[in-house]
Structure formats: C-alpha cells, structure tokens
Amino acid sequence: MDYVILVDEKDNAVGKEEKLEAHRQGKLHRAFSIYVFNKKGQLMLQKRHSAKYHSGGLWTNTCCSHPRPGEPLSEAAHRRLQDEMGFDCELKEAFSFIYHVSLDKGLAEHEYLHIFIGNFEGTPVINEEEAEGWKWMDFKELCQDMKKNPQAYTKWFQLTIDRLAHYLE
C-alpha cells in the first residue's frame, strides 16, 4: 500500500494517508513534479498510461509523484525519474506552491508541489506501466498548444506552466 505525507500550508509533515484515500478526500499532501529539458530548450513530456488511477492518457511533465513517509524529497524525485522514465540526471528544486483541483473518477489533487528542473540529452526508456508515450516539445509551442488544447494535458501541468515560464525568464 502506498502512503503520502500529509502536510500543513508550510509543508510541515502532519501525518500520512493511503495515497488513493488522500486523493478521494482531497487532503493536502507533499508532491513533486520534474521538468527535464534538452540543450535545444525542449521539454520532455510524458503521456500518462491510460490505466492510471487518475488523468490517464493525458500529456504531462516529465515525471511526477509523491515522496514516501520518511523519504527525503530529492531522493524521491531521483527514484521516480528512474522508475518512470529509465534515466537520472541532476535536479534542482526551482520553486513550490499549493494547489487544489478536482480530477476524474471523483478524485482531487491538493498538493504542496515542489518543482524540480533537470537537463538530459538521451532517450528515455519508459516504464510502460506508468507511461504510454513521451516526446520532446519546444517550450513556447507547448505553452501555445496547452492554451488551444487544455483537455490534452493534466491539470497540475497547466497550473505549473506559467509559473515555470516566469521562473525560466
């Protein structure tokens, strides 16, 4: 059984909850999203597997997940990047914010979200239980497409993209 770390508005751990139950109840928990770029300034996107417990079949950032109780955030980020995309790279924590959105299947995300940025020039070897595709996409083209086709992207990715654009400027 997977657990998430419940936190307060300052990211202090206040407990743990089974992952699916935390998403059913919309409890605030710690999470991270990883954004990996190549030298051309393209962002590696992941297409979530259609069988995921929410947001299946949607395009999103390179990797996202939750640290386990007692697991340092940066270790969790590297672990999940390797698990989902089959590679690792140096990651820098850029910023964090809290958001709350309703999802499909009666679930909600209420996360204290930490954003990590990395660089990579290779080809991922995706975990086909996690992702059903990947691609490099020009960041400016991505921002434009996200506005035209929001239904193709995860909600947290849409909430993060403007903040990321400002951070990268």
Side-chain angles (χ1 to χ4, degrees):
M1 192 172 281
D2 285 337
Y3 287 87
V4 296
I5 302 166
L6 301 178
V7 296
D8 63 17
E9 289 78 18
K10 294 184 179 178
D11 197 31
N12 296 306
V14 296
K16 69 179 185 176
E17 181 68 72
E18 191 277 321
K19 182 170 74 171
L20 194 54
E21 191 59 28
H23 289 90
R24 281 191 190 107
Q25 296 182 26
K27 290 185 176 181
L28 181 59
H29 59 279
R30 188 174 295 149
F32 59 86
S33 286
I34 301 171
Y35 292 76
V36 174
F37 291 88
N38 63 19
K39 289 179 184 172
K40 297 176 186 173
Q42 297 171 316
L43 176 63
M44 181 184 291
L45 304 185
Q46 176 193 129
K47 187 171 187 182
R48 287 173 62 85
H49 194 282
S50 338
K52 293 288 279 187
Y53 68 107
H54 68 73
S55 308
L58 299 180
W59 287 101
T60 196
N61 50 286
T62 312
C63 173
C64 49
S65 191
H66 311 92
R68 296 171 176 152
E71 181 181 33
L73 190 60
S74 63
E75 286 180 22
H78 287 284
R79 174 181 55 81
R80 290 304 296 166
L81 184 58
Q82 291 172 348
D83 287 350
E84 290 186 20
M85 303 304 285
F87 71 91
D88 196 12
C89 64
E90 186 176 330
L91 296 172
K92 174 187 173 188
E93 186 168 355
F95 58 92
S96 57
F97 66 99
I98 295 173
Y99 76 96
H100 186 255
V101 294
S102 296
L103 301 171
D104 57 329
K105 301 180 184 177
L107 302 177
E109 282 287 20
H110 190 191
E111 294 185 332
Y112 194 108
L113 186 63
H114 296 263
I115 304 300
F116 287 88
I117 297 175
N119 295 90
F120 181 70
E121 294 302 318
T123 301
V125 180
I126 61 171
N127 177 341
E128 294 180 358
E129 293 178 6
E130 296 287 340
E132 56 187 36
W134 74 278
K135 64 182 174 181
W136 290 109
M137 192 165 183
D138 177 81
F139 191 71
K140 289 179 182 174
E141 289 176 16
L142 168 64
C143 293
Q144 293 168 353
D145 190 58
M146 200 174 273
K147 287 180 176 128
K148 290 179 192 169
N149 302 297
Q151 72 286 353
Y153 299 93
T154 61
K155 290 185 179 182
W156 63 88
F157 191 26
Q158 294 176 54
L159 290 171
T160 306
I161 206 73
D162 286 339
R163 289 175 173 92
L164 185 59
H166 284 101
Y167 177 84
L168 294 173
E169 288 176 353

